[in-house]
Amino acid sequence: MATSSSPNPAQPEAGVRLCDLAEIADPGAKSFRFRVDSRLFAGFVVRAGDTVAGYVDSCPHAGWPLGAMDDRYLTRSGEHILCAGHGALFRLDGTCVAGPCVGERLYDWPVALRGGTLFTA
């Protein structure tokens, strides 16, 4: 599991309601932003069926956001997460399979699905 080297104070604590699972396309992704003072936390979740994974919206290679637009993280086929900056491809489990960061992983953002609703974990 990849982790960030320094915690972001704007990252929400466990138990924050994000959305209903039905609000995310299948397959699909949804972005979330949280602000505390001048700090911003950007994360996104990826859905494939009833499986949901959360990631920090940051390329492990360059540090910039992965998506060029909110909620637009997957390839057209829905099989991979795409870094809009340099075209790297990540499996839905967060592992890079093509591009300059092959073998690296996206930073995990713990989320949990409870009763059809997604929460931070």
Side-chain angles (χ1 to χ4, degrees):
M1 173 167 86
T3 57
S4 177
S5 60
S6 64
N8 181 333
Q11 181 172 337
E13 59 188 42
V16 173
R17 183 189 183 285
L18 297 173
C19 67
D20 290 332
L21 182 62
E23 295 176 55
I24 306 171
D26 181 15
K30 186 166 180 63
S31 55
F32 297 90
R33 307 283 184 266
F34 298 89
R35 183 174 296 282
V36 172
D37 299 322
S38 64
R39 299 297 305 259
L40 175 70
F41 174 81
F44 67 100
V45 294
V46 174
R47 175 186 182 189
D50 289 335
T51 301
V52 184
Y55 300 106
V56 175
D57 191 359
S58 178
C59 173
H61 169 250
W64 55 53
L66 292 165
M69 297 185 292
D70 284 347
D71 305 336
R72 302 287 297 259
Y73 294 92
L74 301 186
T75 57
R76 288 181 190 213
S77 68
E79 294 179 40
H80 292 95
I81 299 165
L82 171 68
C83 177
H86 54 58
L89 295 175
F90 300 83
R91 290 192 310 239
L92 299 186
D93 71 2
T95 304
C96 184
V97 294
C101 48
V102 169
E104 293 185 54
R105 283 190 41 80
L106 298 175
Y107 296 114
D108 293 312
W109 176 36
V111 296
L113 187 60
R114 294 193 303 260
T117 302
L118 191 62
F119 295 88
T120 56

